[in-house]
Amino acid sequence: MNETPLHKNAAVPYQLIYLVLALAITSYSLLQSLVAPVLPLLQQDLHTDRNTVTWILTAYLLAAAVATPILGRIGDMIGKKKVLTAVMIIACVGSILGALASSITVMIVARAIQGIAGGVIPLAFGIIRDEFPRHKVTGAVGVISALIGVGGGLGLVLGGPIVDTLNAHWLFWIPAIALGVAAIVTHLIIPESPVRTPGRVSWIASVLLSSWLIALLVAISEAPKWGWASSPVLGLLVVATVLAALWMKNELRSASPLIDMAMMRIPAVWTTNLAALLIGIAMYSIFAFVPAFLQGTSEAGYGFNSSITESGLIVLPLSVAFLLSGIGSGGLSHRFGAKAVLVGGSVAACASQLILAFAHSEIWQVVLSMLLMGAGFGLAFSSMSGIIVHAVPSHQTGSASGTNANIRTIGGAIGSAMMASVVTAHLLPDGLPAESGYTTGFAILSVASALGAAAALLIPKEHTPIAIPNDAQRADATSTATISN
């Protein structure tokens, strides 16, 4: 086995590079959920309604879903270090704008700019591929993947203390500081790999990807207000379907696709990515709506009248279980196989959401649900990374892992919009969602996790990396075909 990285820089130990990447990933993952526990407070401060305020979360995930493959491609072309540094600076600017926002429109724009931080995922995976010893790549990618979920869980915990100690503006000032520091240490410590992948960014694919996602998310989120059978909703769904088909057609024909459809044909890859989409729907929606559910009052018929801080503490077991299961998933995958771990994690997540849907009258029931959920998602995230890494050639590790993470983000954007639609469909006289909305929503998320387990069962037991042509090889093949024709 080759123990050396693609690019070996003896002056910078890979352990130090890993710490810097962990800081960047944690900063990104905190952005996902730090504002989730305070959505009711932001709704009041920004003078908006409950459905619109959820776009603070959805806009972030939407921007991340679009930016992730674009920035991963640009990093491969011009250098991962410089693009990673630029991404964190842009996200820092978005955080500053969010801290200064006084309207919901400005806040949504700020969150979309923050979402560009999603580019740290493929860039970090690519740097690990280039700089780490070969035998360390799988484990490092798995732990980094787990940190994405751990940071998201910690955001739910930290939001309350930050607001209580300072104010809601510091939910943006603190990430701005963290991102600024991460950008500086990235520039100073991480070496720039000479590894480059020739190619170009398909801006047509970028526009099509963002367009069909926006059409789909607007249709889902506005359906309770407009009606599922209304002309605007049906029209947007048709537009989303047509644009998605055009996007896939463009990607299949492109010499430099944003999402490599040839790689997606590998059985172990497409089945794992399908599981990632479904698990993303379930996980990010939990981040968005459990705190608000816990903050419900006895008059609403659910929740524990928890403060923002108390709701974060109830959710804390999710982050702890996520971290521990993510760390332990490597040993479990070695013993039982990554496929079995992914199936088990998805089943545990499904069970946790069923508890949340139908047994949530006592705090201990919610805590049990959070423990199961954290363990399930932690196992699923890390095992998916291992499956992907072993299913593709080594030079495509970063691209394939980034695509898997991006598909989870797309699932999260869809899930958040869907959950907002279900929860806000029926409001009580005081404006709070009815308990039935949460019960239905959590039950739907359990179905998504169960389908994720079913998708994981389709993953082949044995998979050998299949050589997929890179961008330069595709371009050569395209030119040859053109000449021969």
Side-chain angles (χ1 to χ4, degrees):
M1 179 182 294
N2 182 12
E3 301 291 331
T4 60
L6 292 180
H7 163 58
K8 185 173 182 179
N9 191 320
V12 184
Y14 74 87
Q15 295 91 340
L16 182 57
I17 295 173
Y18 186 77
L19 289 176
V20 176
L21 295 178
L23 173 62
I25 287 290
T26 302
S27 300
Y28 156 73
S29 58
L30 283 172
L31 292 178
Q32 298 175 72
S33 58
L34 200 57
V35 300
V38 299
L39 284 182
L41 177 62
L42 292 175
Q43 178 186 342
Q44 296 175 9
D45 291 347
L46 299 173
H47 310 291
T48 186
D49 58 65
R50 189 170 291 271
N51 190 37
T52 303
V53 79
T54 59
W55 273 90
I56 291 176
L57 301 175
T58 305
Y60 176 90
L61 292 170
L62 173 62
V66 176
T68 296
I70 296 173
L71 294 169
R73 168 54 52 84
I74 295 174
D76 287 340
M77 291 164 52
I78 69 173
K80 303 174 188 67
K81 170 186 173 176
K82 64 178 68 173
V83 177
L84 179 58
T85 303
V87 164
M88 287 185 286
I89 291 173
I90 293 170
C92 177
V93 171
S95 298
I96 294 172
L97 181 61
L100 300 174
S102 58
S103 70
I104 186 63
T105 301
V106 175
M107 180 62 76
I108 290 173
V109 171
R111 287 288 289 168
I113 295 173
Q114 280 186 319
I116 292 173
V120 305
I121 298 174
L123 295 168
F125 289 156
I127 290 170
I128 288 172
R129 179 200 67 202
D130 292 350
E131 304 296 335
F132 281 39
R134 282 287 156 261
H135 67 289
K136 296 288 185 180
V137 169
T138 301
V141 168
V143 175
I144 285 290
S145 295
L147 281 177
I148 297 171
V150 172
L154 285 177
L156 302 179
V157 178
L158 297 175
I162 290 172
V163 171
D164 292 343
T165 305
L166 301 167
N167 57 52
H169 296 286
W170 283 91
L171 295 172
F172 297 91
W173 286 121
I174 290 176
I177 295 169
L179 288 162
V181 171
I184 292 171
V185 296
T186 296
H187 176 71
L188 295 176
I189 293 175
I190 292 184
E192 184 61 87
S193 170
V195 178
R196 296 287 189 274
T197 302
R200 60 181 180 83
V201 176
S202 176
W203 296 110
I204 294 177
S206 304
V207 171
L208 289 172
L209 173 61
S210 57
S211 297
W212 76 257
L213 280 172
I214 290 172
L216 177 63
L217 297 178
V218 171
I220 293 173
S221 62
E222 298 299 330
K225 185 188 302 182
W226 297 344
W228 279 101
S230 66
S231 297
V233 170
L234 294 177
L236 283 171
L237 292 175
V238 170
V239 169
T241 302
V242 172
L243 291 175
L246 291 174
W247 170 72
M248 293 184 66
K249 182 178 180 181
N250 180 271
E251 292 287 71
L252 287 168
R253 292 183 172 183
S254 175
S256 302
L258 289 179
I259 295 179
D260 193 335
M261 294 299 175
M263 184 169 59
M264 290 281 283
R265 293 192 185 103
I266 301 174
V269 173
W270 75 259
T271 49
T272 304
N273 285 336
L274 177 58
L277 178 73
L278 294 162
I279 290 169
I281 288 174
M283 192 192 80
Y284 290 106
S285 301
I286 289 295
F287 285 173
F289 289 93
V290 166
F293 175 77
L294 297 175
Q295 293 167 29
T297 63
S298 56
E299 290 79 8
Y302 60 87
F304 308 101
N305 199 27
S306 303
S307 67
I308 297 173
T309 299
E310 288 168 346
S311 65
L313 290 175
I314 295 173
V315 175
L316 178 60
L318 184 152
S319 293
V320 176
F322 205 123
L323 177 62
L324 294 178
S325 62
I327 293 173
S329 67
L332 292 174
S333 295
H334 180 73
R335 182 171 182 180
F336 300 106
K339 173 182 174 177
V341 173
L342 176 53
V343 172
S346 301
V347 170
C350 175
S352 73
Q353 288 144 8
L354 287 174
I355 293 173
L356 204 56
F358 302 111
H360 50 244
S361 59
E362 302 290 338
I363 289 181
W364 71 265
Q365 295 171 327
V366 179
V367 171
L368 174 61
S369 172
M370 294 298 102
L371 284 170
L372 271 175
M373 194 175 302
F377 286 140
L379 292 172
F381 267 43
S382 297
S383 59
M384 280 191 289
S385 298
I387 293 169
I388 291 292
V389 167
H390 285 97
V392 300
S394 60
H395 71 275
Q396 291 184 307
T397 298
S399 172
S401 300
T403 296
N404 182 257
N406 188 50
I407 288 173
R408 288 200 303 262
T409 304
I410 291 174
I414 295 171
S416 294
M418 178 275 300
M419 190 71 176
S421 177
V422 172
V423 168
T424 61
H426 301 288
L427 299 178
L428 300 173
D430 59 3
L432 290 175
E435 181 180 16
S436 59
Y438 282 108
T439 299
T440 302
F442 292 141
I444 291 173
L445 298 184
S446 72
V447 172
S449 293
L451 291 174
L457 288 172
L458 299 176
I459 298 172
K461 290 184 179 180
E462 300 290 338
H463 42 269
T464 302
I466 299 174
I468 305 298
N470 58 31
D471 295 337
Q473 291 169 325
R474 284 196 188 92
D476 289 343
T478 303
S479 300
T480 301
T482 302
I483 293 170
S484 63
N485 289 332

